[in-house]
Amino acid sequence: QVQLVESGGGLVQAGGSLRLSCAASGRSFSSYAMGWFRQSPGKEREFVAAIKSVGTTYYADSVKGRFTISRDNAKNTVYLQMNTLKPEDTAVYYCAAPPLGRYYYAGPRDFASWGQGTQVTVSS
């Protein structure tokens, strides 16, 4: 069972930046894709970004050009650098991992394990 622990959330003004981190443990890290999702009050959880084991990245249209996902396999950590933040980016951000043995990444539905989330609030 993979454990995921997010950190780095907080309160920031519109136009500012934050970097989220997610430390993974409990199984091999480098072999799996990793992802970030977010959920705002009253809304469903939505895909934000993903990074394959080989480094290929994917983004939701709403964050493309502003957010960057990256990974450090030596530290078992995935990051989400968020720039030019907008009030509509306010949400709880969750780190995500696919099920054990799901080495091939086919899309956001592949993720099955979640961290506890970290709150990001962007003030206008």
Side-chain angles (χ1 to χ4, degrees):
Q1 182 78 5
V2 63
Q3 290 81 45
L4 304 170
V5 179
E6 303 96 334
S7 61
L11 173 63
V12 63
Q13 288 189 334
S17 299
L18 281 174
R19 188 175 83 152
L20 306 183
S21 300
C22 171
S25 61
R27 72 177 192 199
S28 170
F29 176 81
S30 61
S31 302
Y32 291 92
M34 295 293 294
W36 286 97
F37 287 71
R38 67 186 182 186
Q39 187 169 20
S40 303
K43 296 186 178 180
E44 292 188 356
R45 185 162 52 196
E46 64 174 355
F47 170 78
V48 174
I51 183 167
K52 295 175 68 172
S53 59
V54 295
T56 308
T57 56
Y58 304 85
Y59 297 95
D61 288 343
S62 59
V63 306
K64 204 170 293 184
R66 300 187 297 122
F67 290 12
T68 302
I69 188 171
S70 61
R71 64 192 299 158
D72 185 337
N73 290 335
K75 296 182 178 179
N76 288 359
T77 300
V78 61
Y79 304 97
L80 185 68
Q81 177 67 43
M82 305 185 295
N83 297 330
T84 319
L85 282 160
K86 305 176 181 180
E88 51 264 44
D89 294 318
T90 295
V92 177
Y93 283 71
Y94 297 91
C95 178
L100 184 67
R102 181 73 62 84
Y103 298 110
Y104 178 77
Y105 175 71
R109 293 185 179 183
D110 279 358
F111 294 105
S113 297
W114 311 90
Q116 83 288 350
T118 186
Q119 177 70 46
V120 172
T121 303
V122 185
S123 63
S124 57

